[in-house]
Amino acid sequence: MKPEGQVRIPSGCAISAMISKNGERMSGEKIIESMKPMHDRSNGLGGGFAAYGIYPEHKDYYALHIFFDSRAARMECETFMNEKLDIAKSERIPTRIIAEITDEPLIWRYFVLPRRFALQNSQLDEREYILRLVMTINTKLDGCFVFSSGKNMGSFKAVGFPEDVGRFYRLEEYEGYCWTAHGRYPTNTPGWWGGAHPFTLLDYSIVHNGEISSYDANRRFIEMFGYKCTLQTDTEVITYIMDYLLRRQGLTLEEAAHVVAAPFWSTISRKDEAAKEQLTYLRTVFPSLLITGPFSIVLGFNGGLMALNDRLKLRSMVVGHKEDLVFIASEEAAIRVMEPDAEDIYAPVGGEPVIVRVKEGAF
Amino acid sequence: MGVNDMISTFEVVRNEQRCIQCRVCETQCANLVHYYHPDTGLMMSDESKCVNCQRCVALCPTRALKIMKNRCRMRENANWSQDTILEIYKQADSGAVLLSSMGNPNPLPVYWDRILINASQVTNPPIDPLREPMETRVYLGRKPEQISRKEDGSLDTKLAPQLQLSLPVMFSAMSYGSISYNAHASLARAATELGIYYNTGEGGLHQDFYRYGAHTIIQVASGRFGVHKDYLEAGAAVEIKMGQGAKPGIGGHLPGTKIVGDVSRTRMIPEGTDAISPAPHHDIYSIEDLRQLVYSLKEATEYKKPIIVKVAAVHNIAAIASGIARSGADIIAIDGFRGGTGAAPTRIRDNVGIPIELALAAVDTRLREEGIRNRVSLVVGGSIRSASDVVKAIALGADACYVATAAVLALGCHLCRTCQTGKCNWGIATQRPDLVKRLNPDVGSERLVNLMNAWKHEIKELLGGMGINSIEALRGNRLMLRGVGMTEKELEILGIAHAGE
């Protein structure tokens, strides 16, 4: 059977997220618990978490989380990185040995900045430099896979049920102001750790439930701009699309949402002139980035998150509040675990983004 | 010598018991096949003149007629087919180039028929177009590489000119002259009603049709017939015709017999003169010259209209398309080797060019590899026969399709492939007033609208089955396609997997 990346594997899923608008840091305990009532939405072939605000002591460095197949792969990768990066700290990511998680690769993290002259010579901005470096490692170096590359954030993922993955990575020992989680239900069994979610790029992370029918249209468009879809997963391509729209094109979150989950033409025709003009423009310029088919996603980034459903709302997703906390999950049960007294629980309309930002200066 | 007089391609089978000698067949046949024999009181036929256009069959009130493949055949020969032999007789008689019409009829591979479409099962839901919105609108034209904002922070929505289509199909170029006034009227009205576009072809635009300009693509070909300022300004877009799928590498030839009355006036050439378009544009001998014509036309139309460059699908099409994309064109139209024509040398029609499926896949792939796919829209034709061909073309990477043969079929064409004679019994490819009036533009435009609406329904059904609710999400979505019975190489060029993979 072909490994993940050479074949496209549809998956069903569970997602969950919590964020403090005041930037209060919370342990990973609750987010792990939230995945338990949604156990049957995963099948043990992938689970993962993204956490923001977890590395305050290294917050100015890019935190690269990397899977290595072997010590030799790690040596090769470190040699490569040493040419391009200043590495402030490198260490194994602490894990707990548990029966449910097996076959783990070598899992390391590096806090890095671009080497100054290498960056200058590349004529790239810092983020683009790191992004390309990550792409190079993931496509050119055998047995190495960077699965997290943002500042003051990290993703943690494995083959297993999400609640076991959380325990494996000792996430209760981390504190972040925003957490997202994912349980995966792939339709066959490649069992590769890199294929689990969240998928990340710099500080963007995506957890996603769905199977998009626009995949190849999106992939072939986005690959024109230097992105390489090596995993052939929805999550990967959605992450690249978001990076392209938000970072490269400079769209706002709302505008990006109106590209990927564009309002129907019939809806646009009922808007006022100004809105009509803007929405028509976005659909005309980025038609190949419309995402169709079922999806519910949570896009995490430094300082906030955005939750979004496909425009027909073909996947469940609910939102709830409690004081400054906002909860998002595939099922209300998951929100009730995180906060039994959550209020204003509602299901956002398809295509309407739910954007939560941590107040300025609090992260 | 009379060697070919005895061999007719068709035989006219008349049921004498049904025939009432009403002579409708005689009056309907511009080829003069049927005639009344006063001595016997019977209808007779000169089968050698029959082109099998089915006009007499369709209008015979007693259903007394059948046109059959002639049972009288020459001796079977797998190498020397009867058609080949007859062509040799014809050339031995005339010493001339053989002429043909419509698309290449030979049994070469039709890749559309070897491509199958996906549908959703279990992991994501199919969408029912009767219950959910299903979008088929597309915009053709150059897209900006980077968005920009106004001072107040809102998006600057100024765009290069775009064509808005209600479904990704347009009527492709057929000149006034090669087809009739009533055929043009039908196309213009239907395009307007449908919210799509028809194309004038290279013969200029009849004064009566300027009012349909908002749904007209006007063509500038190597002969520059009928090109003047008002003409350029009349349409929604300007198409530079570099080539045509049915006859890549040569120009056009409309015989003087068709240059009569309004056709002569519209083309701005004297009556009775042959309208000969040169093989190249004589101001375009290279790609840098094309750029100059593109920008000349943009200047002339004040950058308000997209410029289309139409080329025939030839061997090096990917590189050619890349050059066109960098020449300022907004839309590239590619015409495959099965594309139709009102007249083309047979040897060229049947042997020059490549299939549109392969050309499209190669061009779309190349433009993406070069990162310039977004600079141009891609329109393909020659030949798109059905809604499923459209869906497959979009999934391979086209923005929209051009159809012409399907459109004239809707108008009554029976594909007898003798347009070049100018004696079209269905009133389409003729200028004879008595024949032209057989095509009623009220009926013609309605039939075209019906056809396109039917295709639209089918496109929506196919999209919904794939779990897609907008045609935009199908464009270039090659994962939705699988090949059957193809070689590795064919699959590689098409960029699709084999069924079962």
Side-chain angles (χ1 to χ4, degrees):
Chain A
M1 195 168 69
K2 286 180 177 170
E4 184 144 19
Q6 288 173 30
V7 63
R8 190 166 144 70
I9 299 164
S11 305
C13 303
I15 61 173
S16 168
M18 60 189 290
I19 181 167
S20 158
K21 287 196 264 191
N22 289 338
E24 308 281 349
R25 292 169 69 208
M26 308 159 282
S27 88
E29 193 88 49
K30 275 188 180 169
I31 196 86
I32 297 173
E33 289 298 310
S34 79
M35 297 309 282
K36 288 185 179 169
M38 300 194 290
H39 183 85
D40 283 358
R41 300 182 74 96
S42 315
N43 64 1
L45 293 174
F49 299 80
Y52 289 83
I54 53 172
Y55 296 133
E57 65 278 21
H58 295 294
K59 66 182 166 53
D60 295 326
Y61 291 85
Y62 294 90
L64 304 185
H65 292 192
I66 311 183
F67 292 136
F68 298 112
D69 284 355
S70 64
R71 190 162 174 277
R74 178 168 70 82
M75 303 305 279
E76 188 193 3
C77 187
E78 285 183 354
T79 308
F80 174 76
M81 287 197 295
N82 268 322
E83 283 173 20
K84 311 270 183 186
L85 301 168
D86 283 325
I87 301 175
K89 185 178 180 184
S90 65
E91 63 186 356
R92 289 188 85 123
I93 293 181
T95 54
R96 178 182 279 133
I97 295 170
I98 57 174
E100 290 84 355
I101 305 287
T102 53
D103 296 329
E104 67 262 38
L106 304 172
I107 310 168
W108 282 67
R109 70 183 155 213
Y110 301 83
F111 294 96
V112 303
L113 280 176
R115 277 187 180 271
R116 195 150 59 95
F117 290 115
L119 178 62
Q120 268 173 12
N121 289 340
S122 71
Q123 302 186 1
L124 300 170
D125 74 44
E126 190 181 284
R127 289 162 62 86
E128 184 70 22
Y129 180 93
I130 295 291
L131 184 147
R132 290 197 190 185
L133 181 114
V134 169
M135 292 268 173
T136 306
I137 294 175
N138 288 355
T139 54
K140 299 272 162 62
L141 298 187
D142 277 349
C144 309
F145 187 76
V146 181
F147 63 99
S148 186
S149 53
K151 283 183 178 176
N152 199 11
M153 61 79 66
S155 96
F156 303 88
K157 59 190 187 180
V159 172
F161 282 100
E163 55 271 29
D164 300 328
V165 174
R167 280 200 301 133
F168 171 78
Y169 278 109
R170 312 164 80 109
L171 294 184
E172 70 282 1
E173 295 169 9
Y174 292 81
E175 288 198 322
Y177 60 81
C178 174
W179 288 87
T180 66
H182 186 263
R184 193 172 186 221
Y185 199 130
T187 47
N188 59 11
T189 56
W192 183 51
W193 286 44
H197 305 180
F199 189 82
T200 66
L201 189 70
L202 301 176
D203 64 303
Y204 295 126
S205 68
I206 294 235
V207 290
H208 152 78
N209 170 21
E211 184 196 338
I212 61 177
S213 52
S214 56
Y215 175 77
D216 219 29
N218 303 143
R219 175 188 70 83
R220 297 185 66 235
F221 182 84
I222 205 71
E223 286 196 343
M224 280 203 289
F225 305 101
Y227 302 95
K228 292 267 181 310
C229 293
T230 53
L231 302 183
Q232 299 199 26
T233 62
D234 295 350
T235 321
E236 176 187 45
V237 79
I238 294 171
T239 307
Y240 293 159
I241 289 171
M242 285 300 173
D243 181 67
Y244 175 74
L245 291 175
L246 299 173
R247 189 174 62 85
R248 294 237 200 136
Q249 289 289 343
L251 294 188
T252 65
L253 287 168
E254 288 86 352
E255 288 164 347
H258 290 144
V259 169
V260 299
F264 287 98
W265 290 115
S266 53
T267 311
I268 293 175
S269 70
R270 291 194 295 270
K271 303 265 184 193
D272 65 60
E273 280 310 312
K276 201 186 286 181
E277 193 182 308
Q278 301 266 311
L279 291 168
T280 302
Y281 175 82
L282 289 172
R283 284 202 71 172
T284 310
V285 175
F286 301 112
S288 295
L289 296 181
L290 174 71
I291 301 176
T292 60
F295 68 83
S296 59
I297 58 171
V298 177
L299 164 71
F301 50 89
N302 278 333
L305 59 74
M306 175 173 80
L308 184 67
N309 260 137
D310 66 273
R311 55 199 195 144
L312 287 182
K313 186 104 184 161
L314 295 171
R315 279 290 183 273
S316 58
M317 188 176 77
V318 287
V319 177
H321 298 86
K322 177 70 180 179
E323 290 158 4
D324 77 312
L325 296 178
V326 181
F327 306 93
I328 296 157
S330 300
E331 294 180 14
E332 185 180 336
I335 294 181
R336 293 288 176 207
V337 168
M338 291 186 278
E339 179 51 66
D341 298 326
E343 296 156 359
D344 309 329
I345 290 187
Y346 73 105
V349 175
E352 281 304 314
V354 176
I355 297 167
V356 184
R357 289 180 191 280
V358 177
K359 70 182 183 196
E360 206 55 49
F363 62 91
Chain B
M1 194 165 67
V3 283
N4 51 353
D5 286 356
M6 58 188 180
I7 304 157
S8 307
T9 311
F10 308 105
E11 64 180 292
V12 177
V13 180
R14 193 185 313 270
N15 184 330
E16 297 296 351
Q17 285 177 316
R18 290 187 179 183
C19 180
I20 53 171
Q21 291 85 39
C22 68
R23 302 176 72 168
V24 163
C25 49
E26 186 183 358
T27 52
Q28 288 295 321
C29 184
N31 297 304
L32 310 175
V33 171
H34 306 279
Y35 60 95
Y36 180 68
H37 201 288
D39 295 347
T40 58
L42 295 176
M43 293 302 301
M44 309 293 283
S45 343
D46 177 356
E47 304 180 323
S48 66
K49 293 174 178 162
C50 180
V51 298
N52 193 6
C53 75
Q54 297 276 318
R55 180 78 185 180
C56 57
V57 175
L59 270 79
C60 176
T62 59
R63 302 254 181 270
L65 285 168
K66 277 187 191 138
I67 308 296
M68 314 278 290
K69 195 170 174 182
N70 197 347
R71 285 165 292 185
C72 172
R73 307 289 294 173
M74 299 181 69
R75 187 164 183 172
E76 294 286 329
N77 186 319
N79 185 33
W80 290 94
S81 73
Q82 179 167 313
D83 288 346
T84 309
I85 294 167
L86 291 181
E87 284 173 348
I88 287 195
Y89 289 163
K90 209 184 272 182
Q91 290 192 297
D93 269 354
S94 68
V97 165
L98 293 166
L99 280 185
S100 295
S101 304
M102 301 311 289
N104 186 337
N106 292 333
L108 289 151
V110 178
Y111 287 98
W112 300 130
D113 296 338
R114 302 182 184 185
I115 296 175
L116 299 172
I117 299 167
N118 194 29
S120 301
Q121 296 288 289
V122 182
T123 53
N124 77 2
I127 300 166
D128 185 346
L130 296 175
R131 293 178 176 79
E132 305 283 352
M134 188 64 67
E135 300 183 317
T136 55
R137 185 192 296 186
V138 294
Y139 286 91
L140 304 183
R142 169 178 295 247
K143 310 294 186 280
E145 280 167 28
Q146 188 69 42
I147 60 125
S148 57
R149 291 189 185 273
K150 293 188 257 192
E151 279 184 8
D152 65 0
S154 65
L155 293 164
D156 184 356
T157 55
K158 211 163 152 290
L159 271 175
Q162 307 279 322
L163 295 181
Q164 181 189 320
L165 278 65
S166 68
L167 78 161
V169 185
M170 304 188 286
F171 300 131
S172 61
M174 288 178 281
S175 72
Y176 175 47
S178 77
I179 60 169
S180 65
Y181 178 93
N182 285 352
H184 253 223
S186 304
L187 290 164
R189 285 193 217 168
T192 304
E193 188 176 334
L194 288 161
I196 58 171
Y197 300 83
Y198 86 108
N199 188 313
T200 61
E202 66 165 323
L205 179 61
H206 193 285
Q207 203 57 43
D208 294 354
F209 302 143
Y210 272 62
R211 63 185 137 142
Y212 304 112
H215 293 277
T216 305
I217 293 167
I218 60 114
Q219 199 178 63
V220 173
S222 58
R224 304 285 155 89
F225 298 119
V227 176
H228 54 97
K229 187 162 185 298
D230 293 348
Y231 173 69
L232 291 178
E233 284 172 357
V238 180
E239 179 171 278
I240 301 170
K241 178 198 174 186
M242 299 302 303
Q244 183 178 343
K247 40 183 172 179
I250 63 167
H253 182 175
L254 193 65
T257 50
K258 279 187 169 179
I259 312 289
V260 290
D262 282 355
V263 175
S264 140
R265 204 170 71 239
T266 306
R267 293 204 172 213
M268 309 195 316
I269 52 172
E271 286 206 17
T273 51
D274 286 3
I276 299 176
S277 320
H281 286 246
H282 280 298
D283 51 0
I284 304 179
Y285 286 176
S286 181
I287 189 75
E288 67 271 21
D289 299 335
L290 174 67
R291 185 179 178 83
Q292 296 197 19
L293 181 59
V294 167
Y295 278 94
S296 301
L297 291 170
K298 286 192 174 189
E299 288 286 338
T301 54
E302 296 171 337
Y303 294 84
K304 287 179 187 156
K305 301 177 197 299
I307 306 294
I308 305 169
V309 174
K310 177 180 178 178
V311 284
V314 290
H315 298 179
N316 204 18
I317 189 65
I320 293 164
S322 166
I324 296 171
R326 295 173 194 280
S327 73
D330 300 276
I331 299 165
I332 304 176
I334 307 172
D335 199 13
F337 84 134
R338 284 183 185 281
T341 175
T346 308
R347 296 291 167 251
I348 290 189
R349 185 196 66 176
D350 294 353
N351 295 283
V352 181
I354 64 170
I356 190 59
E357 302 91 326
L358 302 179
L360 162 61
V363 167
D364 180 68
T365 300
R366 171 68 79 90
L367 295 182
R368 285 172 195 268
E369 282 168 1
E370 296 187 16
I372 55 175
R373 177 67 184 82
N374 224 17
R375 280 198 202 172
V376 285
S377 295
L378 216 49
V379 179
V380 297
S383 69
I384 304 291
R385 304 159 302 169
S386 64
S388 53
D389 286 357
V390 173
V391 164
K392 290 168 190 176
I394 305 287
L396 279 180
D399 290 85
C401 295
Y402 258 150
V403 299
T405 301
V408 292
L409 287 173
L411 293 177
C413 167
H414 281 60
L415 264 184
C416 70
R417 314 200 301 258
T418 47
C419 318
Q420 77 275 10
T421 64
K423 293 190 283 192
C424 176
N425 279 318
W426 295 92
I428 302 164
T430 178
Q431 299 304 325
R432 259 173 58 176
D434 61 317
L435 300 177
V436 171
K437 74 176 184 197
R438 292 179 182 177
L439 174 60
N440 179 342
D442 293 337
V443 177
S445 60
E446 188 189 329
R447 289 177 63 81
L448 287 166
V449 170
N450 283 345
L451 176 72
M452 287 298 111
N453 281 336
W455 284 21
K456 195 175 185 176
H457 283 302
E458 291 176 331
I459 290 170
K460 287 180 174 185
E461 291 282 353
L462 287 163
L463 284 178
M466 288 181 269
I468 290 175
N469 57 20
S470 172
I471 195 90
E472 297 159 335
L474 179 69
R475 186 189 304 116
N477 197 338
R478 295 189 184 172
L479 260 186
M480 288 297 165
L481 303 177
R482 289 290 189 275
V484 278
M486 281 198 254
T487 64
E488 286 275 345
K489 195 63 177 175
E490 289 167 319
L491 293 166
E492 179 195 321
I493 294 166
L494 289 167
I496 62 175
H498 200 276
E501 278 189 288

